[in-house]
Amino acid sequence: TLISWSNDPRDYDPISADELTRRAANRLAPRDIVLLHERPETARTNDALPALLRIGQQRGLSFVSLTAILSPE
């Protein structure tokens, strides 16, 4: 199965967690797959994630893992 993201806030850029949240939230739309990395140099992603999830929920969006998307019902 080929998976591609639709929202790349470029969390690998040297930006703050607030800027990362802004970038991702500005493009956040239903059915988005948001590309985020988990590496030492992208620790700000962990800091930005709670705010991004909160913004999405305020917009009526929900979040699931790729595993949930790919699992047969």
Side-chain angles (χ1 to χ4, degrees):
T1 303
L2 177 64
I3 301 290
S4 185
W5 59 89
S6 53
N7 185 333
D8 180 6
R10 298 171 50 120
D11 63 339
Y12 46 84
D13 284 348
I15 57 174
S16 68
D18 288 340
E19 175 63 13
L20 174 57
T21 301
R22 187 191 65 73
R23 284 183 181 186
N26 282 347
R27 295 182 288 226
L28 196 58
R31 299 194 168 284
D32 263 0
I33 295 177
V34 181
L35 177 64
L36 298 171
H37 300 86
E38 184 179 8
R39 310 188 288 230
E41 63 271 19
T42 59
R44 70 194 145 277
T45 299
N46 291 338
D47 297 334
L49 200 50
L52 181 57
L53 293 173
R54 189 171 43 257
I55 290 167
Q57 290 170 338
Q58 289 169 348
R59 294 180 187 177
L61 303 175
S62 59
F63 296 87
V64 298
S65 67
L66 283 178
T67 301
I69 292 171
L70 297 174
S71 297
E73 292 185 20

